[in-house]
Amino acid sequence: MDIKERIQSILTKHWLLLPLFITTTFGFGYQTIPLFTWLYIPTILSYNRNQQDYQTIFFTYLVSSIGFSLGYLGNFNTVSINDKGPRFPLFWVVILCSFAIHLLLVVALFAEKFTIQRYQGHKRAHLIRIVFFPCLWTSIWCLMTRYGPLGDFISLSTSLVIWPEFGQIASIGGRSLLDFLMVLFGTILVEFIFPTKEEKNEDQEEEEEEETIPSSGRRRLAVLSSILMALILVYGGARVNIHSNSFYQVNYPDYVPKTEQVGCVVGPGGSDSPQLQTQQDIWLNMTRELAESGAKLVLWSELTAFVNDLEEEKILIGKAKDLARTYQIYLGISYGTVNQNKLVFITKQGEIGFDFNKAHPVPGIETQPAGPNVLQYIDTEEFGRIGGAICFDFNFPSFISQASTHNIDIMLQPSWTWGPTGTYHEQTNIIRAVENGFTLFRCVSQGVSGIYEPTLNGIFNQK
C-alpha cells in the first residue's frame, strides 16, 4: 500500500474525529451550541460501532478529553477584572481533570462494544444497541453526581435546560431523565441513519452485508421516537404555557398570583475586593434602600461580607436584626468567616429563621470544611415556606431534593461566580426548580440573578 492509499485509508477510518473534536469543544463548557451537544453521542457511537478493533476508544478518549478541557479552560479565572493575570490560570488542572473524568467514557465505550459484539446476530441486537448505552451512561453519571465532588456541574444536558419545553421532563425523572433521553435519541439516530452492519454466515458471499434492522423496522423506530419526543414536548409545553387557573384564555389579572417585591444586594464576591467585604455598612445601607423602596424580602449575594471572629459576626447579625425589625422585612445575609461560608435568614421580627453553613464547598476554590448536609427552612406569612442553600450546593440534586420532601415554596440561592462561569452555572442550577417544584430566588455576584419558577420561563422570570 503506497502513501496515498494509506492516508486515504486513515481518513476513511478516522474522519469522524474532527467533528467529534468540534462537538466536544462547543457542546460542553461555558460557550455551548446546543445542537453540538445533541450530536456528541451520535458522533462517538458512529465512530466506534463500525470499527471492530478497540483502538478507536483510545482516539475517542484523547480527542474528547482535549475538546472537553477547552470548553472549561477558564474555570479558575477567579481574579478581579481590575487585576492583570493569565487568561487561563491552572489550565493544566482543567486538562488533567478532563482526562480523569473521561475515563468514565472509556468504561462506557468498552462495555458497549463488548456487549454489542457479544450479542451480534441476536434477534434483539438492535434493541440492545438502542437501549444499553443510554442506561449505562445515565447510571455512570448518576453515580458521579451522587458521590463525586462536582455534583452535576459537568452534566451532559446542561445546555438543554434553556429549552424549557424539553426541560420540563425533569419534573418527572430529574436531571438523569434529561441525560437518558438525550443519549437515547443519539442511539436512535445512529441506528436509523447509520445502521450497524454484520456479516452473513459462511455460505453467503463475504461482500454482501445486511442491515441489522430492516427498512420496516427502521420506519417503526422513526415513528416511535417521534411519538416519544412529541409526548415530551406536549407535556412540557402544557406546563410552561398553561398556568394554574388560566385555562381557557383567562385574563392575566384573574390568575396571576399576588406578588411581593424582593431585592438583591450584589456584593463583591469571594475575590474581587476583600476590603469591601469588611465594610458592612455599605451592604446594610443598600439593604435599607431596598426596604424603603418596598422590598419585603432582601437577599445578599454569596460572601457579600466577611467577619474575622465571633465578635464581628455578632455585631453584623445584630445590625441585620435591627434593620429587619425596623423595616419589617425578611433578610438573608451571606457572609464568610475564617472557616465558614454562611447564609443567615432573619425574620421580620428580628429573629434568626435559619443559620446555614455551605454544605458543598467548591473543590480547588474553597478550602473551608463543609457544613451539615441538611437543608434548613422556615414558614413565613407572605412567602410560604422558605429554604436556602449557597451557590454550589445547588449542583447536588440529592441535597436539594430535601426541598420537595419538606414542601418548600421558595429557595434562596446567594451565589458568587467568576470568569466565564456565570451563565453556565445558572443553567446547571435552575433545573432544581423544575425537579422539586419550588420558586428559585438567585442573587449572584458576577453572574445571573433572577426569579425562576418550576416552568423556567414562567410569569415571574426576571434576570
Side-chain angles (χ1 to χ4, degrees):
M1 181 182 295
D2 59 24
I3 296 179
K4 183 177 180 181
E5 290 176 338
R6 179 167 301 196
I7 293 175
Q8 185 176 3
S9 175
I10 293 174
L11 291 177
T12 301
K13 186 175 182 179
H14 300 292
W15 70 272
L16 277 171
L17 289 176
L18 177 58
L20 174 59
F21 175 75
I22 295 173
T23 56
T24 308
T25 303
F26 294 102
F28 304 97
Y30 301 133
Q31 291 183 309
T32 58
I33 301 173
L35 176 62
F36 289 174
T37 309
W38 282 100
L39 293 176
Y40 175 72
I41 292 296
T43 305
I44 281 181
L45 296 182
S46 298
Y47 175 57
N48 282 274
R49 281 187 174 181
N50 286 310
Q51 309 288 346
Q52 294 299 315
D53 56 68
Y54 283 80
Q55 68 174 348
T56 55
I57 296 178
F58 170 76
F59 291 125
T60 300
Y61 169 70
L62 181 65
V63 172
S64 187
S65 296
I66 295 173
F68 191 84
S69 63
L70 292 177
Y72 292 92
L73 206 58
N75 188 72
F76 292 98
N77 188 10
T78 60
V79 298
S80 168
I81 58 175
N82 299 317
D83 297 331
K84 291 184 179 180
R87 185 174 181 182
F88 302 112
L90 298 178
F91 68 91
W92 57 272
V93 175
V94 177
I95 294 174
L96 289 177
C97 288
S98 178
F99 274 86
I101 292 168
H102 272 76
L103 291 175
L104 299 175
L105 176 62
V106 172
V107 172
L109 290 176
F110 262 105
E112 206 248 359
K113 186 178 283 289
F114 173 81
T115 302
I116 287 180
Q117 292 180 354
R118 173 69 175 80
Y119 288 95
Q120 188 171 2
H122 192 277
K123 64 179 181 179
R124 297 296 182 187
H126 63 282
L127 185 61
I128 293 172
R129 286 195 304 273
I130 292 171
V131 176
F132 177 76
F133 192 74
C135 292
L136 178 63
W137 180 276
T138 306
S139 299
I140 289 174
W141 282 99
C142 274
L143 293 173
M144 177 74 170
T145 299
R146 180 66 179 85
Y147 299 105
L150 300 177
D152 70 342
F153 184 76
I154 53 176
S155 174
L156 181 70
S157 58
T158 293
S159 65
L160 304 182
V161 174
I162 60 176
W163 186 7
E165 288 79 8
F166 181 74
Q168 290 305 306
I169 199 67
S171 64
I172 297 176
R175 182 62 161 275
S176 297
L177 184 55
L178 290 181
D179 290 336
F180 175 81
L181 289 171
M182 205 200 75
V183 179
L184 177 65
F185 286 122
T187 57
I188 290 174
L189 182 64
V190 171
E191 201 64 33
F192 183 69
I193 299 179
F194 305 109
T196 301
K197 308 286 186 176
E198 62 178 17
E199 296 181 357
K200 291 190 175 183
N201 53 40
E202 294 179 356
D203 60 348
Q204 295 170 311
E205 295 182 9
E206 292 182 359
E207 295 80 15
E208 292 183 355
E209 294 176 331
E210 64 176 5
E211 293 178 358
T212 305
I213 303 181
S215 58
S216 59
R218 294 171 67 193
R219 285 195 296 269
R220 287 196 298 270
L221 180 61
V223 170
L224 290 174
S225 59
S226 298
I227 291 174
L228 176 60
M229 178 59 83
L231 291 175
I232 291 171
L233 295 182
V234 167
Y235 172 78
R239 280 180 55 87
V240 169
N241 296 303
I242 302 177
H243 297 269
S244 178
N245 300 318
S246 71
F247 195 82
Y248 179 75
Q249 298 183 14
V250 177
N251 292 339
Y252 255 54
D254 295 329
Y255 73 89
V256 175
K258 179 184 177 182
T259 62
E260 296 287 354
Q261 186 172 337
V262 299
C264 169
V265 174
V266 178
S271 65
D272 190 41
S273 179
Q275 293 79 16
L276 281 174
Q277 288 180 297
T278 61
Q279 299 179 37
Q280 302 171 3
D281 288 341
I282 294 177
W283 318 115
L284 292 168
N285 288 335
M286 286 185 179
T287 304
R288 185 176 293 104
E289 291 174 2
L290 288 171
E292 290 173 348
S293 67
K296 301 297 183 183
L297 186 156
V298 178
L299 178 64
W300 290 9
S301 64
E302 182 183 13
L303 297 175
T304 288
F306 187 86
V307 295
N308 291 295
D309 50 42
L310 291 176
E311 184 62 29
E312 287 187 12
E313 183 177 17
K314 182 179 179 180
I315 293 173
L316 173 61
I317 292 177
K319 291 180 178 179
K321 283 181 175 181
D322 291 340
L323 197 155
R325 188 184 306 109
T326 300
Y327 290 94
Q328 289 292 286
I329 64 170
Y330 297 97
L331 175 58
I333 59 173
S334 182
Y335 60 92
T337 68
V338 176
N339 291 312
Q340 292 181 314
N341 185 340
K342 302 286 288 291
L343 167 62
V344 175
F345 185 76
I346 300 170
T347 69
K348 62 183 181 181
Q349 289 81 25
E351 300 173 350
I352 294 180
F354 56 79
D355 186 337
F356 177 78
N357 183 25
K358 192 172 187 177
H360 297 90
V362 180
I365 301 295
E366 297 176 307
T367 58
Q368 79 273 10
N373 205 45
V374 177
L375 199 63
Q376 301 180 38
Y377 58 89
I378 186 173
D379 292 317
T380 68
E381 179 182 353
E382 295 88 348
F383 297 97
R385 182 163 290 181
I386 295 180
I390 301 174
C391 196
F392 201 55
D393 288 328
F394 280 79
N395 284 102
F396 293 83
S398 59
F399 173 63
I400 300 299
S401 66
Q402 297 177 58
S404 59
T405 301
H406 298 301
N407 297 315
I408 291 176
D409 299 299
I410 295 176
M411 280 292 291
L412 307 179
Q413 185 194 17
S415 182
W416 161 61
T417 56
W418 54 81
T421 65
T423 299
Y424 179 87
H425 196 240
E426 173 215 16
Q427 293 173 357
T428 65
N429 289 173
I430 61 178
I431 196 67
R432 302 285 92 87
V434 180
E435 293 172 339
N436 298 283
F438 56 68
T439 296
L440 175 63
F441 177 16
R442 302 185 84 233
C443 183
V444 187
S445 172
Q446 302 179 50
V448 184
S449 303
I451 307 293
Y452 302 88
E453 290 184 279
T455 49
L456 295 182
N457 63 346
I459 303 168
F460 307 113
N461 189 340
Q462 183 178 9
K463 296 181 181 179

